Amino acid sequence: MILGFDPGRDKCGLAVMGREQQLLYHQVVLSQDAIAAIQQLCQQFVIETIVMGDQTTAKSWKQKIVGELGISIPIVLVDERYSSLEARDRYWQMYPPKGIELLIPKGLRQPPRPVDDIVAILLIERYLEKLGSKD
């Protein structure tokens, strides 16, 4: 299983996906709770790889995960460019608009909640795509 992690200053996205791309878990947590959440997920699921976005705070988060959790799970950095925009579109695929939301043009719709967990899902998908292209 793969743990997707979208690190951020205020909030982080987490997702767990099996190798067959079945989504088992996704949630947005406060940054201060992220390490504890990752630890819990590593106990709950057999995590083989942690996939993380490669932008702003990635290096410090990677050190924090290794240092505080002391885990030997490989941490792979994945290109996260445009993932937030892509996550907004994916949100509406996962949770189609209803009622009055249908009247708002697609390009103007804003998800009613943070989409960092969906970014974590996209990071896992990008990682698996990259793995698949090496075969």
Side-chain angles (χ1 to χ4, degrees), residues 71-89:
I71 54 175
S72 60
I73 299 169
I75 299 174
V76 179
L77 297 181
V78 175
D79 182 4
E80 69 173 301
R81 282 179 290 179
Y82 311 112
S83 57
S84 295
L85 289 172
E86 197 178 326
R88 275 189 255 168
D89 289 341

Side-chain angles (χ1 to χ4, degrees), residues 38-129:
I38 290 170
Q39 188 170 28
Q40 182 202 349
L41 291 170
C42 286
Q43 291 168 355
Q44 188 178 346
F45 299 100
V46 181
I47 303 297
E48 299 163 4
T49 306
I50 296 175
V51 175
M52 208 169 92
D54 65 354
Q55 297 294 303
T56 326
T57 58
K59 285 187 177 124
S60 62
W61 272 105
K62 187 174 179 177
Q63 290 171 340
K64 201 174 193 179
I65 292 169
V66 171
E68 291 188 34
L69 295 182
I71 54 175
S72 60
I73 299 169
I75 299 174
V76 179
L77 297 181
V78 175
D79 182 4
E80 69 173 301
R81 282 179 290 179
Y82 311 112
S83 57
S84 295
L85 289 172
E86 197 178 326
R88 275 189 255 168
D89 289 341
R90 178 68 64 88
Y91 175 87
W92 294 113
Q93 289 171 10
M94 292 170 72
Y95 308 100
K98 296 179 180 116
I100 199 148
E101 289 174 334
L102 288 168
L103 300 175
I104 300 169
K106 188 178 175 182
L108 297 177
R109 281 186 207 136
Q110 291 294 321
R113 66 166 186 81
V115 293
D116 304 71
D117 57 331
I118 299 173
V119 171
I121 294 167
L122 294 170
L123 294 174
I124 295 171
E125 290 175 355
R126 288 179 181 188
Y127 168 72
L128 291 173
E129 212 173 275

Side-chain angles (χ1 to χ4, degrees), residues 19-52:
R19 287 250 174 221
E20 302 301 314
Q21 293 201 9
Q22 70 275 26
L23 184 61
L24 304 169
Y25 172 92
H26 64 102
Q27 185 175 356
V28 177
V29 298
L30 294 173
S31 294
Q32 69 228 31
D33 301 332
I35 296 294
I38 290 170
Q39 188 170 28
Q40 182 202 349
L41 291 170
C42 286
Q43 291 168 355
Q44 188 178 346
F45 299 100
V46 181
I47 303 297
E48 299 163 4
T49 306
I50 296 175
V51 175
M52 208 169 92

